[in-house]
């Protein structure tokens, strides 16, 4: 944020404490815009924005917003702007307009969304960036390491990480010259069969050929990316996917278990292990957003019976009398639970355990191995949900009938000890939009200065985008 300091008559001479009291009554958008008036006002707005973030933003969402900021001093006004700008203006939901189509090549192997920017990788190693607001003209380079397996953004340093066949590549976008600048890492690592990447702030993780997940932290970026090795975690069993979150790594193992490791030790320390889940074991569609695990009971009939097409789905439904919306998902946060289990297991007193034993306490000990609970995300709209994305204060779902469901995910869970957000599907979605005759197979969310972008894709249609007005729009 660059501010040209200038005199503001009258109110400029008031004490800082008085200005803070005045700005505490100013609405959200005016706090954000007032931060540009002068250095003194910016300082006041930073304090007001920080207080509002602490009081109104659930801790897991606040952690997500902070992890996306430029590394260094926190700009609380920018954090507050991201929070306010991720709320939909409900009075403009009907004004979506014509979807924007992102013309990606047929051989796309990976995509990542950041606002109006679409990063994509191809089978021939081509890395592309498109801006859907500027006619989709791609800026291209080639990683020269086989196909692009996965892409991740290190927003705290404006870096793009790409996993090729053997190596991990670092790029930075030069928007003036419209070229990619390739940077050299200060370490060497042969990537294993699992090319998954996970980012949290300046940290990233990747697996090698020996089933060891390496966690690094970037501390300087010039022509070389300087890193520190934080932790190495050896997988007892292969991990399907994993997510860096705070000082932890959350993993899903091929035997169906969900595990949480602490990164505070050089070799990591197991904090939590769940009971096996069939939906994880059978590699059903699963995602980890923040510390929340989403596992679908969706399976493609095309994988089970060649007589069915690849877009024909079947659910593990426990409500056999009806069909639409009865396919359930297994969902749950694991951050608080892993902390509790780790502290309980490392502060065990046998005498206290005997004297405090009750049937309810024994049941609680038994049930803590089951961190996920059954939910029905499409039940209120009679839609079977095929894919989900969770970002900031919104959750976007794609359905089997070709509709998009937008849910609010910004309420605080009253039962959480850490002010965690609550995943609530009991209420109706903020918006439901029928946009295709085919099932939606992928969704994503992007946020710009005044819009919220809903990305979606079907099996046969190109990646497309619908824009909704945010609370930051005029």
């Amino acid at each position: 944020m660059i501010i040209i300091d200038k005199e503001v008559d009258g109110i400029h001479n008031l004490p800082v404490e008085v200005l803070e009291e005045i700005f505490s009554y100013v609405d959200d958008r005016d706090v954000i815009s007032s931060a540009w008036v002068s250095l003194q006002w910016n300082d006041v707005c930073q304090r007001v924005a920080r207080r509002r973030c602490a009081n109104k933003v659930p801790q897991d969402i606040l952690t997500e917003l902070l992890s996306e900021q430029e590394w260094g001093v926190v700009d609380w006004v920018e954090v507050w702007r991201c929070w306010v700008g991720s709320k939909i203006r409900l009075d403009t939901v009907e004004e979506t307009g014509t979807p924007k189509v992102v013309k990606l090549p047929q051989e796309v192997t990976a995509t990542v969304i950041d606002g109006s920017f679409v990063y994509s990788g191809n089978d021939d190693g081509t890395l592309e960036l498109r801006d859907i607001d500027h006619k989709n003209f791609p800026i291209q380079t080639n990683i020269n390491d086989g196909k692009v397996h996965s892409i991740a953004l290190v927003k705290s340093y404006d870096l793009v990480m790409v996993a090729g066949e053997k190596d991990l590549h670092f790029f930075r976008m030069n928007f003036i010259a419209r070229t990619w600048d390739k940077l050299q890492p200060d370490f060497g690592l042969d990537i294993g069969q699992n090319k998954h990447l996970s980012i949290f702030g300046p940290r990233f993780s990747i697996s090698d050929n020996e089933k060891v997940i390496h966690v690094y932290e970037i501390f300087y970026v010039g022509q070389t990316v300087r890193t520190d090795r934080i932790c190495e975690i050896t997988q007892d069993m292969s991990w399907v996917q994993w997510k860096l979150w705070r000082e932890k790594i959350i993993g899903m193992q091929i035997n169906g278990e969900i595990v949480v490791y602490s990164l505070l030790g050089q070799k990591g320390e197991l904090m939590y292990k769940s009971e096996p889940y069939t939906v994880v074991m059978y590699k059903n569609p699963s995602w980890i957003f923040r510390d929340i695990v989403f596992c679908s009971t969706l399976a493609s009939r095309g994988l089970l019976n060649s007589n069915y097409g690849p877009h024909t789905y079947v659910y593990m439904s426990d409500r056999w009398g009806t069909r639409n919306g009865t396919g359930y998902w297994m969902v749950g946060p694991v951050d608080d639970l892993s902390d509790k289990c780790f502290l309980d297991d490392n502060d065990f007193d046998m005498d206290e355990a005997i004297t405090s034993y009750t049937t309810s306490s024994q049941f609680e000990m038994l049930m803590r191995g089951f961190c996920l609970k059954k939910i029905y995300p499409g039940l209120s709209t009679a839609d079977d949900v095929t894919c989900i994305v969770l970002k900031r204060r919104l959750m976007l779902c794609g359905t089997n009938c070709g509709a998009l469901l937008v849910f609010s995910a910004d309420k605080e869970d009253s039962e959480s000890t850490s002010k965690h957000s609550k995943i609530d599907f009991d209420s109706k979605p903020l918006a439901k939009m029928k946009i295709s005759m085919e099932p939606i197979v992928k969704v994503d969310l992007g946020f710009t200065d005044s819009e919220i972008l809903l990305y979606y894709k079907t099996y046969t249609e190109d990646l497309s985008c619908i824009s909704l007005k945010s609370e930051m729009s005029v």
Side-chain angles (χ1 to χ4, degrees):
M1 180 179 288
I2 301 175
I3 303 168
I4 300 176
D5 203 12
K6 54 186 178 183
E7 290 292 328
V8 182
D9 294 335
I11 196 173
H12 178 77
N13 297 319
L14 291 175
V16 172
E17 294 80 7
V18 176
L19 284 174
E20 281 192 42
E21 180 66 20
I22 294 173
F23 275 101
S24 67
Y25 297 98
V26 173
D27 67 29
D28 295 335
R29 287 175 53 186
D30 287 341
V31 167
I32 296 167
S33 59
S34 297
W36 294 84
V37 172
S38 68
L39 292 175
Q40 183 189 30
W41 279 30
N42 178 265
D43 183 57
V44 172
C45 291
Q46 291 288 342
R47 298 184 189 187
V48 173
R50 180 172 184 172
R51 191 178 303 116
R52 291 189 182 184
C53 286
N55 294 334
K56 297 184 179 182
V57 185
Q59 281 301 305
D60 57 316
I61 302 179
L62 181 58
T63 300
E64 177 188 25
L65 295 174
L66 289 171
S67 71
E68 297 175 352
Q69 302 304 306
E70 184 178 346
W71 199 241
V73 179
V74 177
D75 185 345
W76 287 102
V77 172
E78 175 62 18
V79 175
W80 184 246
R81 186 196 67 78
C82 291
W83 166 256
V84 175
S86 58
K87 184 177 181 180
I88 294 175
R89 278 185 54 186
L90 296 179
D91 59 323
T92 64
V93 169
E94 303 298 328
E95 305 172 9
T96 57
T98 304
K100 299 178 182 178
V101 178
V102 186
K103 290 290 186 181
L104 298 177
Q106 294 295 322
E107 304 82 11
V108 169
T109 54
T111 57
V112 169
I113 304 297
D114 182 25
S116 62
F117 293 148
V118 179
Y119 298 84
S120 63
N122 299 349
D123 195 55
D124 61 358
T126 301
L127 177 65
E128 298 182 341
L129 169 62
R130 287 174 167 81
D131 187 346
I132 64 169
D133 290 336
H134 292 84
K135 300 182 180 179
N136 275 323
F137 291 137
I139 304 174
Q140 298 180 336
T141 190
N142 197 293
I143 65 172
N144 297 315
D145 182 25
K147 76 174 184 178
V148 174
H149 285 273
S150 57
I151 305 171
L153 306 180
V154 188
K155 292 187 178 181
S156 54
Y157 282 100
D158 290 328
L159 295 178
V160 180
M161 289 176 49
V162 181
E165 288 291 344
K166 296 181 179 180
D167 299 318
L168 183 62
H169 306 268
F170 292 83
F171 293 90
R172 175 173 274 173
M173 189 68 225
N174 186 330
F175 287 97
I176 297 177
R178 294 182 62 82
T179 58
W180 292 88
D181 296 333
K182 186 169 185 179
L183 310 178
Q184 296 299 320
D186 63 351
F187 64 92
L189 182 70
D190 291 332
I191 301 177
Q193 292 184 349
N194 192 330
K195 315 292 185 180
H196 181 71
L197 299 172
S198 181
I199 308 292
F200 181 78
R203 292 185 174 182
F204 63 91
S205 60
I206 191 165
S207 176
D208 65 13
N209 285 318
E210 302 300 325
K211 294 184 179 180
V212 176
I213 295 180
H214 300 263
V215 181
Y216 293 87
E217 182 171 320
I218 301 172
F219 65 86
Y220 175 78
V221 175
Q223 290 300 315
T224 301
V225 179
R226 302 292 183 184
T227 63
D228 280 329
R229 181 173 294 177
I230 302 300
C231 187
E232 295 180 352
I233 298 176
T234 301
Q235 307 168 50
D236 294 330
M237 296 187 178
S238 296
W239 289 15
V240 179
Q241 61 173 296
W242 60 87
K243 179 75 172 70
L244 283 178
W245 180 250
R246 292 176 176 160
E247 296 291 338
K248 303 174 183 178
I249 189 166
I250 304 165
M252 302 169 70
Q253 300 188 146
I254 59 171
N255 69 341
E257 294 175 343
I258 297 169
V259 294
V260 181
Y261 279 83
S262 168
L263 302 180
L264 297 179
Q266 291 186 350
K267 296 297 182 180
E269 185 170 4
L270 181 65
M271 299 181 67
Y272 174 77
K273 180 187 291 187
S274 76
E275 296 296 323
Y277 282 96
T278 306
V279 289
V280 178
M281 190 184 309
Y282 290 165
K283 297 184 179 180
N284 286 51
S286 301
W287 294 270
I288 306 174
F289 300 110
R290 299 197 285 265
D291 70 313
I292 307 172
V293 178
F294 291 81
C295 296
S296 170
T297 56
L298 169 74
S300 172
R301 284 183 176 177
L303 298 176
L304 307 175
N305 189 331
S306 59
N307 294 325
Y308 291 101
H311 58 278
T312 307
Y313 297 111
V314 60
Y315 272 97
M316 298 178 193
S317 174
D318 61 354
R319 301 190 181 188
W320 303 108
T322 57
R323 280 287 302 163
N324 291 335
T326 60
Y328 63 84
W329 285 59
M330 302 300 293
V331 177
V334 297
D335 195 13
D336 289 352
L337 180 61
S338 63
D339 284 340
K340 185 178 187 306
C341 293
F342 184 73
L343 292 174
D344 289 347
D345 293 343
N346 286 275
D347 189 27
F348 184 78
D349 188 314
M350 179 60 73
D351 292 334
E352 181 181 350
I354 294 173
T355 56
S356 62
Y357 176 85
T358 62
T359 304
S360 59
S361 65
Q362 180 66 13
F363 180 75
E364 182 182 351
M365 286 291 293
L366 178 66
M367 292 306 295
R368 75 180 192 176
F370 299 91
C371 57
L372 308 182
K373 66 178 182 179
K374 190 181 298 185
I375 63 170
Y376 300 85
L379 193 59
S380 63
T381 57
D383 292 297
D384 286 326
V385 170
T386 54
C387 49
I388 283 179
V389 65
L390 175 68
K391 286 185 179 179
R392 299 185 184 178
R393 62 198 300 174
L394 293 176
M395 182 157 50
L396 176 64
C397 303
T399 72
N400 191 35
C401 66
L404 295 178
L405 307 178
V406 185
F407 289 91
S408 174
D410 56 2
K411 299 295 188 295
E412 186 178 313
D413 189 349
S414 59
E415 298 180 2
S416 172
T417 58
S418 65
K419 295 180 62 178
H420 198 285
S421 63
K422 183 179 182 180
I423 302 300
D424 183 14
F425 288 104
D426 294 334
S427 57
K428 289 187 177 181
L430 300 175
K432 177 181 177 179
M433 291 161 281
K434 174 72 173 178
I435 42 84
S436 177
M437 299 302 294
E438 300 182 19
I440 308 298
V441 298
K442 184 177 182 180
V443 289
D444 211 328
L445 283 164
F447 303 92
T448 66
D449 290 338
S450 60
E451 292 182 325
I452 298 171
L453 306 178
L454 314 181
Y455 291 87
Y456 63 92
K457 191 183 184 312
T458 69
Y459 274 109
T460 61
E461 298 170 348
D462 290 312
L463 180 68
S464 300
C465 173
I466 290 177
S467 62
L468 299 176
K469 297 293 184 182
S470 76
E471 288 289 334
M472 289 300 297
S473 63
V474 178

